[in-house]
Amino acid sequence: SVFTHIRELADAWFLELRRVTRQDGYLFLTIHDEHTIDVVLDRFPQAPLAATIEALDRETSFRSADYASVWTGTDPDSQVFYGADAVIRAWSRFARFVSRTEEAYGYQTALVFRR
């Protein structure tokens, strides 16, 4: 649950994780994506994260846009939301994409890559 808070240089962080992963090893990462947003707003409308999502969408209309990532707050308290397809495309340049599992870690989506 690190990428849910990394506002900038996510690709660099991914590359560093790839670097320290053994050959043919797996990277298991979690992100906030479109599914996460739907789950939070539908099932946990009173949660602080729901209020964060709603405020960010009022300011940016990101939910109706095609986005790679959008964030609110400052490090380390930032909340980062990814367009899952965009991040999979981007990181697949560096490692083989294996799977995407929604709600793998609470409401977060897991992405698995293989080095």
Side-chain angles (χ1 to χ4, degrees):
S1 184
V2 174
F3 285 93
T4 58
H5 304 286
I6 297 175
R7 295 181 345 166
E8 300 174 88
L9 302 174
D11 289 351
W13 282 93
F14 182 85
L15 287 170
E16 179 61 10
L17 289 172
R18 181 188 174 278
R19 185 187 71 79
V20 300
T21 300
R22 70 176 169 81
Q23 188 65 34
D24 294 324
Y26 291 89
L27 293 164
F28 180 91
L29 314 167
T30 60
I31 62 169
H32 291 153
D33 67 352
E34 303 89 345
H35 184 77
T36 299
I37 292 167
D38 291 341
V39 167
V40 170
L41 294 178
D42 291 344
R43 296 187 207 159
F44 308 103
Q46 302 305 316
L49 187 57
T52 297
I53 292 166
E54 290 171 342
L56 182 61
D57 194 46
R58 277 193 304 275
E59 293 172 23
T60 65
S61 300
F62 81 99
R63 293 188 68 210
S64 61
D66 186 23
Y67 65 96
S69 66
V70 63
W71 61 80
T72 185
T74 57
D75 291 333
D77 297 320
S78 60
Q79 293 292 326
V80 181
F81 304 93
Y82 293 90
D85 290 339
V87 78
I88 290 167
R89 262 190 323 275
W91 292 346
S92 290
R93 295 176 298 164
F94 312 120
R96 186 172 63 84
F97 175 68
V98 175
S99 68
R100 173 182 176 180
T101 305
E102 296 171 340
E103 298 178 60
Y105 181 66
Y107 44 72
Q108 294 178 23
T109 294
L111 303 178
V112 178
F113 292 86
R114 187 165 189 185
R115 179 167 189 246

